[in-house]
């Protein structure tokens, strides 16, 4: 069974005039896949991710999670945003525990789970630190640990590495792939970075400018582990850049047409 099935998805915001964010989105995401949503700013990547997460309602179409309609949030889906959004008054450990706390999990079990996932993301020893005592990359690791602590089947990630420096971003990408290859959770990852998309993904779905549509799908079947700078990966990047150029040319033509 597919993790997500999306058919004829549309999203309209009731502004004046209305904003059509997504139109006619059809896609299927299989269990254990690493799928990247890529496209220019404003194409609806984050909106689509939030609809999959049950954080936004669709305007039209059908969205199924494991064969059932998405209706609000689901404990089996973890979400990681660009801003880790840690509570500043809680320690790192207590931030990671928060989802389990909401579920009523016992204190000792919460502590054990938090320790396990903080170790997995490289934050062992920082349990009693507060968010302001961490670097941006460390805060993002804590956000990932918090999402993992509830042991979701799916991770939805909205540009989670966009706010960190380049070297930290590269390391976080490696760490994420190591976690994914260990547990093979389904991952849907939003980015506007072509190199990041090609390095991480099994498939890249390229969205067109608003209203967002799936302009083209790229299957990234280069073997793992992948090496940055590999000729085959650079060729895939070039292919995607060419498609992005066509999207821009098409959008410019539509703007000038009567």
């Amino acid at each position: 069974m597919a993790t997500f099935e999306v058919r004829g998805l549309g999203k309209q915001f009731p502004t004046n005039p209305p904003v059509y964010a997504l139109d006619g989105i059809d896609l299927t995401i299989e269990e254990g896949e690493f799928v990247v949503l890529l496209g220019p700013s404003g194409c609806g990547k984050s909106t689509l991710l939030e609809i999959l997460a049950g954080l936004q309602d669709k305007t039209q179409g059908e969205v199924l999670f494991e064969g059932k309609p998405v209706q609000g949030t689901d404990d089996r889906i973890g979400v990681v945003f660009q801003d880790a959004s840690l509570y500043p008054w809680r320690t790192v450990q207590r931030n990671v525990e928060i989802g389990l706390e909401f579920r009523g999990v016992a204190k000792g079990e919460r502590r054990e789970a938090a320790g396990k996932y903080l170790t997995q993301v490289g934050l062992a020893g920082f349990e009693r630190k507060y968010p302001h005592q961490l670097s941006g990359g460390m805060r993002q690791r804590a956000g990932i640990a918090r999402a993992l602590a509830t042991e979701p089947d799916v991770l939805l990630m909205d540009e989670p590495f966009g706010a960190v420096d380049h070297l930290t971003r590269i390391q976080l990408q490696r760490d994420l792939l190591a976690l994914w290859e260990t547990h093979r959770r389904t991952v849907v990852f939003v980015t506007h970075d072509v190199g990041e998309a090609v390095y991480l993904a099994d498939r890249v779905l390229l969205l067109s400018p608003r209203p967002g549509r799936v302009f083209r799908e790229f299957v990234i079947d280069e073997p793992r582990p992948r090496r940055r700078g590999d000729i085959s990966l650079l060729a895939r990047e070039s292919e995607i850049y060419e498609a992005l150029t066509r999207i821009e040319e098409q959008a410019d033509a539509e703007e000038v047409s009567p």
Side-chain angles (χ1 to χ4, degrees), residues 84-186:
S85 300
L86 303 177
Y87 292 112
W89 59 87
R90 295 178 71 117
T91 63
V92 169
Q93 177 173 308
R94 293 195 64 225
N95 266 286
V96 172
E97 290 179 11
I98 196 163
L100 299 173
E101 187 176 328
F102 287 154
R103 293 186 186 181
V105 175
K107 186 175 181 179
E109 190 176 343
R110 297 199 310 261
R111 184 178 300 164
E112 182 179 353
K116 171 184 174 181
Y117 286 103
L118 284 169
T119 297
Q120 285 194 11
V121 300
L123 286 180
F126 290 87
E127 293 86 352
R128 297 189 178 186
K129 299 293 185 182
Y130 287 86
H132 74 272
Q133 297 173 301
L134 305 182
S135 68
M138 293 169 77
R139 288 194 294 273
Q140 206 58 31
R141 290 172 190 270
I144 294 170
R146 180 179 57 194
L148 292 173
T150 59
E151 300 193 342
D153 297 330
V154 179
L155 272 182
L156 304 180
M157 310 185 78
D158 190 0
E159 297 197 55
F161 310 146
V164 301
D165 64 86
H166 180 67
L167 293 178
T168 300
R169 185 171 187 149
I170 288 173
Q171 187 58 54
L172 288 170
Q173 290 167 4
R174 291 173 181 158
D175 293 342
L176 174 61
L177 284 178
L179 288 168
W180 174 72
E181 288 168 355
T182 299
H183 300 285
R184 287 289 170 168
R185 291 180 175 89
T186 305

